[in-house]
Amino acid sequence: MDETSAWSWEHAAAVLPDLLEGLQITVLATVVGMVIASVLGLVVAMVRRSGLRVVTIPVGFLVEFIRSTPLLVQLVFANLLFTQFPSLTIGCVVLGVHYATYMSEVYRAGIDAVPKGQWEAAVALDLPRSRTWGAVVLPQAIRNTLPGLGNYAVSMFKETPFLFAIAVVEMYTAAQQYGADTFRYMEAITMAGLLFLLVSYPTSLLVRRLENRLA
Amino acid sequence: MPENDTTPAIEFQGVVKRFGDNVVLDGLDFTVAQGDRVTLIGPSGSGKTTILRLLMTLEEANEGLILIDGDPYTHEMRGGKRVAIPDKRRSLVRRRVGMVFQQFNLFPNMTVLENIIEAPIHVLGKSKAEATTIAEALLDKVGLAEKRDERPTKLSGGQQQRVAIARALAMEPEILLLDEVTSALDPELVADVLGVLRNIAETTDITMLIVTHEMQFAREVSNRVLMFDKGKIIEEADPETIFTSPTHERTQEFLRAVL
Amino acid sequence: MSDNLQQFVDLLPQLGEGILVTLQLTLGGAVLALLVAFTLGFGSRAHTRWARVPSRVVVEFFRGTSLVVQIFWLYYVLPLPPFYVELDPLACGILALGLNYGAYASEVVRGSINSVAKGQWEAAIALDLSPVHRLRRVIMPQAWPLMIPMFTNLLIQLVKGSALAAYISLHDLNFFTNELRERTSDTIFSYTVGLLCYFVVAYLLTLAMNALEVRAKNRLGTGPTLREVLRLAPVQTTADVGAGGPAPAATTASKGGDRDG
């Protein structure tokens, strides 16, 4: 352990393989989490549109509840509750469910943005309900939701470090472990932060371009 | 301040304005005498509104000079070079110019009265009492005395535009720019606004520059009409002449289309 | 279950303390975030490159590196050489939350100011109001009501982020939740209690922000007074508030005045 030098490039290099391994888990969790969030979010949005108060009220409350309580606490809770599953699985599912509550709002806005005339045209053509949704409304709505999806993917990526709390070795946890082993927190945590920036900033630029293209 | 009667109120010297590759004003020269009421007509995109926006410093000319009462406004020649005038000095000249917009642009966070007294108090340094007295007289003049404490959003378009006129007049401008002030109004509200403007034209000697599609109004109020096409003045005359016997072919076409 | 309740009642003083710490983090973080947001938001709109470029860099830096990394960096790395700055854990939490959410909120400030109709700027120029005066008396009063709903989202995000405090030795609501679990050995009970507490905090903050929004809109002359809303019972907007997540809520529709040439 080298107390005298503030920044050691050797340690910065040495932690990198661990971090890149962690990055794979981080990306995996983000991808799986977003797939769950996208599918579940759409289901929630459609259920909430159904107008059946017996369903919409409890679902509405649950969405509000999950959205306004900490992801961190939810992760720990789920991990304690479902000990039979691996932490990574639980992490992905909790991330997915948490973000599904955001995504359902994105879908809702996307569906609302489909002009009323489209619904009326579908009625005028006497299309069945499934075709109205599947062939007319959703294709247009989903286009509207792409920027939102991209934005949330970026923010989920930046929230995967919360998985440290359930001992999933994603990128931050890898840094933390290296720091604990070598007492070189400086290089480990700084490098982790920079790697997050290195991935998230270009991605958010891409999303912004997508946003402008679709606008 | 008007120095003497021969100094033009407004003078454009070789003004060029480009938006990207699009040349909106192409080396424009013209003068407006003190107390003139000039209407600018021409097809849309011919540069009329741009002239008003240049005079309000909402746009900046790429080349040429603009003088107000003989004073350089946004740029001046110094040692043979065209240099920008800093905002502090521009502002002193800008104070003599007022503008009424197509979309009224009243401040929604202020009442009618507050809209009118804001600038006289904070720009001209008037006391609140004095500004209020002037504002009330102006509201009376535009027929909206009873609306002084209303929010602009509660007024009709015509009423909002009359408040906007009062707001511009409260700054005691020497030059008033009117940018299609009736275009955003429902037809039945146009007459009131034009009535107010006619009244101002009759009772003051403010120099007016008017962009409008209301040819009848232009005929009644203005003493000079400039026909614009592609950033140039192609014809200029008193309203009688231009509306009854235009000489330029483009003017004839244009008037046939709008009258 | 009655056993659980007994333990819960015994722990009530700790619950009070936990909520207090969470609120300190939230309010401290929010005040700092607001300062950061206005500084960086205006910086990002500046005409001079010297203000604009650094503002953008700082915003992207704090948005791009994760909150978790930031808070632990302040906690673990800052006391090390060459910094030797040992922050109080509460200060550490407030600083991380304030900088992170301040960076997001600066985008809200920027976007809201940009979406005030162009004609309002032009009218202010036509009346020769000074640049500072334009912003203070004309633009900000109109941009502020646009900012509030997005600030509400970020405030709730901030409350949620504050749960990290338990990992830097603060005894906040998250810490209390774990404490309750250890005492009762009942995961479902203790975590339901903990999450409900967070929910109540978030809900009350949302109500307060909604009241602020109603007042701001009323000042603009576009909505009912707060008293009218309260008399009519449920606030009409609650259903829509809270939409959007951490990052993306910052996009605002821009409405520009039309004009012809």
Side-chain angles (χ1 to χ4, degrees), chain A residues 9-45:
Chain A
W9 285 106
E10 277 126 73
H11 280 287
V15 72
L16 207 54
D18 292 6
L19 293 182
L20 291 177
E21 211 159 299
L23 181 61
Q24 289 175 21
I25 302 293
T26 294
V27 171
L28 176 74
T30 308
V31 170
V32 176
M34 270 324 278
V35 168
I36 296 173
S38 307
V39 175
L40 191 60
L42 182 58
V43 172
V44 170

Side-chain angles (χ1 to χ4, degrees), chain C residues 56 80 98 110 112 128 133 175 215 254:
Chain C
R56 294 300 314 161
L80 299 175
R110 194 168 67 103
S112 304
D128 202 38
H133 197 100
F175 180 85
R215 214 182 58 148
S254 63

Side-chain angles (χ1 to χ4, degrees), chain B residues 46-254:
Chain B
S46 60
K48 302 160 304 188
T49 288
T50 304
I51 291 172
L52 302 194
R53 293 175 63 81
L54 287 170
L55 283 166
M56 205 66 263
T57 69
L58 302 176
E59 308 284 354
E60 204 160 276
N62 300 96
E63 285 168 43
L65 296 183
I66 299 171
L67 309 179
I68 302 289
D69 301 330
D71 296 329
Y73 192 3
T74 58
H75 293 80
E76 63 186 341
M77 298 305 286
R78 215 185 293 156
K81 270 175 71 183
R82 179 177 180 268
V83 288
I85 291 174
D87 203 52
K88 280 240 163 64
R89 263 182 64 206
R90 284 183 190 194
S91 144
L92 293 174
V93 180
R94 184 163 59 207
R95 218 159 282 179
R96 304 177 207 160
V97 185
M99 183 162 181
V100 182
F101 297 87
Q102 185 178 354
Q103 300 291 339
F104 337 128
N105 297 343
L106 293 178
F107 304 138
N109 51 314
M110 301 180 193
T111 64
V112 164
L113 184 73
E114 286 165 351
N115 260 282
I116 302 175
I117 64 175
E118 181 72 16
I121 293 175
H122 294 281
V123 178
L124 302 181
K126 287 196 159 64
S127 74
K128 192 171 178 191
E130 192 191 350
T132 306
T133 312
I134 295 171
E136 283 171 339
L138 285 167
L139 277 176
D140 205 37
K141 195 169 179 175
V142 301
L144 291 170
E146 79 285 6
K147 301 286 187 194
R148 55 166 270 174
D149 296 319
E150 291 276 2
R151 293 292 187 152
T153 43
K154 298 266 190 289
L155 305 183
S156 74
Q159 291 171 332
Q160 289 191 47
Q161 193 59 297
R162 279 142 68 196
V163 173
I165 293 168
R167 181 172 75 172
L169 290 177
M171 290 294 282
E172 294 160 2
E174 293 161 28
I175 299 166
L176 187 61
L177 310 173
L178 302 171
D179 183 15
E180 304 199 22
V181 293
T182 55
S183 300
L185 298 178
D186 292 333
E188 72 272 19
L189 302 175
V190 170
D192 284 343
V193 171
L194 293 184
V196 164
L197 291 173
R198 219 175 274 125
N199 178 254
I200 292 162
E202 282 160 12
T203 56
T204 68
D205 56 2
I206 298 176
T207 306
M208 289 170 134
L209 218 57
I210 305 160
V211 172
T212 185
H213 295 123
E214 298 283 340
M215 294 304 155
Q216 185 54 37
F217 172 72
R219 205 163 170 168
E220 284 172 41
V221 169
S222 47
N223 58 348
R224 222 173 123 208
V225 177
L226 304 182
M227 170 70 194
F228 276 82
D229 193 35
K230 303 195 176 81
K232 282 191 178 346
I233 298 169
I234 57 166
E235 184 164 0
E236 130 166 47
D238 63 274
E240 254 346 277
T241 316
I242 212 158
F243 287 122
T244 51
S245 49
T247 51
H248 200 285
E249 195 186 332
R250 288 285 291 159
T251 316
Q252 291 165 2
E253 274 173 43
F254 174 74

Side-chain angles (χ1 to χ4, degrees), chain A residues 6 65 67-70 72 76-77 80-81 98 102 151-152 158 161 164-165 172 186 190 193 197 200-201 208 211, chain C residues 60 63-66 72-73 77 81-83 104 157 160 163-164 167 181 188 191 195 198-199 242 244-245 248 251:
Chain A
F65 187 84
R67 189 166 53 194
S68 43
T69 53
L72 181 59
V76 175
F77 186 22
L80 291 168
L81 218 52
H98 195 89
Y102 303 151
N151 277 321
Y152 280 120
K158 288 180 288 193
F164 83 89
Y172 172 73
M186 160 78 96
T190 308
L197 186 63
S200 71
Y201 182 59
R208 230 172 283 172
E211 217 161 13
Chain C
E60 295 302 347
R63 290 192 337 156
T65 54
S66 165
F72 287 125
W73 196 93
V77 179
F83 311 107
Y104 285 113
Q157 294 298 333
K160 290 157 57 175
L164 276 167
Y167 295 88
R181 179 177 166 268
I188 295 184
Y191 273 82
L195 287 171
Y198 272 110
F199 182 68
T251 42

Side-chain angles (χ1 to χ4, degrees), chain C:
Chain C
M1 197 66 187
S2 63
D3 225 29
N4 287 344
L5 280 180
Q6 190 53 50
Q7 291 287 354
F8 177 64
V9 171
D10 289 348
L11 277 175
L12 271 181
Q14 274 97 315
L15 171 63
E17 271 167 49
I19 290 181
L20 197 65
V21 171
T22 295
L23 284 180
Q24 281 171 338
L25 284 161
T26 303
L27 298 182
V31 169
L32 178 61
L34 210 57
L35 284 175
V36 170
F38 276 94
T39 311
L40 295 179
F42 282 116
S44 306
R45 304 187 68 257
H47 289 297
T48 47
R49 206 170 266 259
W50 297 110
R52 203 173 57 235
V53 173
S55 302
R56 294 300 314 161
V57 170
V58 173
V59 169
E60 295 302 347
F61 180 82
F62 283 106
R63 290 192 337 156
T65 54
S66 165
L67 172 68
V68 180
V69 177
Q70 287 160 16
I71 205 166
F72 287 125
W73 196 93
L74 291 177
Y75 189 68
Y76 288 114
V77 179
L78 208 55
L80 299 175
F83 311 107
Y84 298 110
V85 182
E86 204 149 334
L87 287 177
D88 174 73
L90 186 66
C92 200
I94 288 175
L95 197 59
L97 292 167
L99 289 172
N100 188 273
Y101 291 104
Y104 285 113
S106 76
E107 294 288 274
V108 172
V109 170
R110 194 168 67 103
S112 304
I113 288 178
N114 285 345
S115 58
V116 172
K118 222 174 121 218
Q120 294 291 314
W121 290 94
E122 297 187 342
I125 293 174
L127 292 171
D128 202 38
L129 300 178
S130 72
V132 174
H133 197 100
R134 275 172 225 160
L135 210 53
R136 196 171 61 83
R137 296 271 302 178
V138 178
I139 304 303
M140 272 308 291
Q142 299 182 59
W144 178 236
L146 301 175
M147 294 180 197
I148 298 175
M150 289 181 277
F151 281 164
T152 308
N153 290 338
L154 287 172
L155 185 64
I156 302 312
Q157 294 298 333
L158 198 151
V159 175
K160 290 157 57 175
S162 79
L164 276 167
Y167 295 88
I168 58 168
S169 78
L170 286 171
H171 292 190
D172 72 335
L173 199 45
N174 188 10
F175 180 85
F176 163 83
T177 307
N178 199 40
E179 189 86 346
L180 187 63
R181 179 177 166 268
E182 275 172 18
R183 292 282 192 89
T184 59
S185 321
D186 186 339
T187 304
I188 295 184
F189 171 76
S190 46
Y191 273 82
T192 308
V193 168
L195 287 171
L196 274 174
C197 289
Y198 272 110
F199 182 68
V200 170
V201 168
Y203 188 70
L204 293 178
L205 286 172
T206 305
L207 282 187
M209 291 296 283
N210 286 352
L212 206 63
E213 190 189 352
V214 167
R215 214 182 58 148
K217 277 193 178 152
N218 176 252
R219 281 196 181 162
L220 208 53
T222 55
T225 64
L226 188 54
R227 199 165 296 179
E228 282 165 357
V229 170
L230 290 178
R231 212 183 302 134
L232 288 168
V235 182
Q236 209 185 7
T237 49
T238 24
D240 297 313
V241 171
T251 42
T252 36
S254 63
K255 37 171 188 186
D258 53 341
R259 48 170 281 256
D260 101 333

